[in-house]
């Protein structure tokens, strides 16, 4: 089960089922039936607008976001799907803070529900820095199927590693 590195956090029973599904070659049919089309948010502006709409819907009082982009330098190998960065700078006698969200360019051609899961995850970091119960509760508030989508995205990454891209 060495090719299941994206599913390390799941129990052995789920990893075994995922391994059997991947070995049977049925993952492509599963994903294409569930998510037939990739999203259309190709540019940085479209991704920014999409993220801001989610933020305004669920986290209006949170800190503003200065940048949302696809980033070629983020590699999923390090288990990062996206990054939320917080930068503070002193300018004169004022402290300036900047929040940025960077999503791996790998996800430029993903179906919208899976991209949504990544954006929700990064937005949740505006309020909750650690991956604790409060963080995942916030993720589930913004995306009720958050845990299912995260599992499917991780399963897709295993599929992609073994069989290649679908979208």
């Amino acid at each position: 089960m060495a090719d299941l590195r994206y599913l390390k956090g799941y129990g052995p029973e789920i990893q075994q089922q995922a391994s059997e599904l991947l070995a049977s070659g049925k993952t492509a049919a599963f994903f294409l039936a569930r998510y037939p089309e990739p999203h259309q948010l190709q540019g940085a502006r479209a991704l920014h607008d999409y993220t801001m709409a989610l933020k305004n819907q669920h986290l209006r009082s949170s800190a503003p976001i200065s940048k949302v982009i696809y980033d070629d330098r983020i590699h999923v190998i390090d288990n990062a799907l996206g990054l939320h960065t917080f930068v503070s700078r002193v300018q004169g006698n004022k402290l300036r803070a900047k929040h940025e969200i960077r999503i791996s360019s790998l996800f430029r051609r993903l179906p919208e529900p899976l991209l949504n899961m990544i954006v929700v995850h990064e937005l949740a970091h505006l309020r909750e820095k650690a991956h604790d119960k409060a963080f995942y509760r916030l993720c589930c508030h913004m995306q009720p199927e958050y845990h299912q989508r995260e599992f499917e995205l991780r399963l897709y990454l295993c599929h992609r590693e073994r069989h290649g891209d679908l979208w």
Side-chain angles (χ1 to χ4, degrees):
M1 284 197 265
D3 61 342
L4 297 179
R5 64 181 159 164
Y6 302 107
L7 298 172
K8 282 182 190 173
Y10 294 90
E13 193 173 294
I14 290 184
Q15 287 187 22
Q16 181 63 35
Q17 290 174 349
S19 182
E20 290 170 6
L21 187 64
L22 285 162
S24 72
K26 294 180 182 175
T27 48
F30 166 77
F31 283 115
L32 292 173
R34 187 153 166 85
Y35 305 112
E37 298 291 324
H39 66 77
Q40 300 302 312
L41 306 167
Q42 298 303 309
R45 186 77 199 152
L47 180 63
H48 180 270
D49 292 347
Y50 179 80
T51 303
M52 292 308 294
L54 279 171
K55 180 194 177 296
N56 291 337
Q57 181 181 356
H58 298 289
L59 301 169
R60 263 179 249 140
S61 63
S62 292
I65 300 171
S66 60
K67 186 188 287 187
V68 181
I69 61 169
Y70 290 110
D71 192 337
D72 294 331
R73 294 173 292 171
I74 297 175
H75 297 287
V76 179
I77 294 168
D78 300 327
N79 217 15
L81 307 176
L83 291 174
H84 167 259
T85 57
F86 175 73
V87 179
S88 298
R89 290 191 179 95
V90 177
Q91 292 180 339
N93 62 352
K94 294 184 180 181
L95 182 65
R96 303 269 186 209
K98 228 168 67 160
H99 291 272
E100 296 179 356
I101 293 177
R102 296 171 181 270
I103 296 175
S104 175
S105 293
L106 167 70
F107 303 125
R108 199 180 286 264
R109 298 282 305 154
L110 229 56
E112 189 273 334
L114 300 178
L115 177 69
N116 179 279
M117 188 279 313
I118 297 167
V119 171
V120 161
H121 182 99
E122 299 309 326
L123 283 172
H125 281 301
L126 291 174
R127 284 229 179 111
E128 303 291 337
K129 302 301 180 211
H131 292 114
D132 55 12
K133 284 184 180 180
F135 175 84
Y136 286 108
R137 207 176 5 241
L138 180 56
C139 287
C140 289
H141 168 74
M142 291 190 284
Q143 171 52 261
E145 295 181 0
Y146 176 82
H147 292 294
Q148 179 64 33
R149 299 254 169 87
E150 181 179 11
F151 174 75
E152 289 174 357
L153 177 62
R154 291 181 178 283
L155 182 62
Y156 171 69
L157 291 171
C158 293
H159 167 89
R160 184 180 176 275
E161 200 169 75
R162 187 183 273 196
H163 304 290
D165 286 323
L166 287 177
W167 300 279

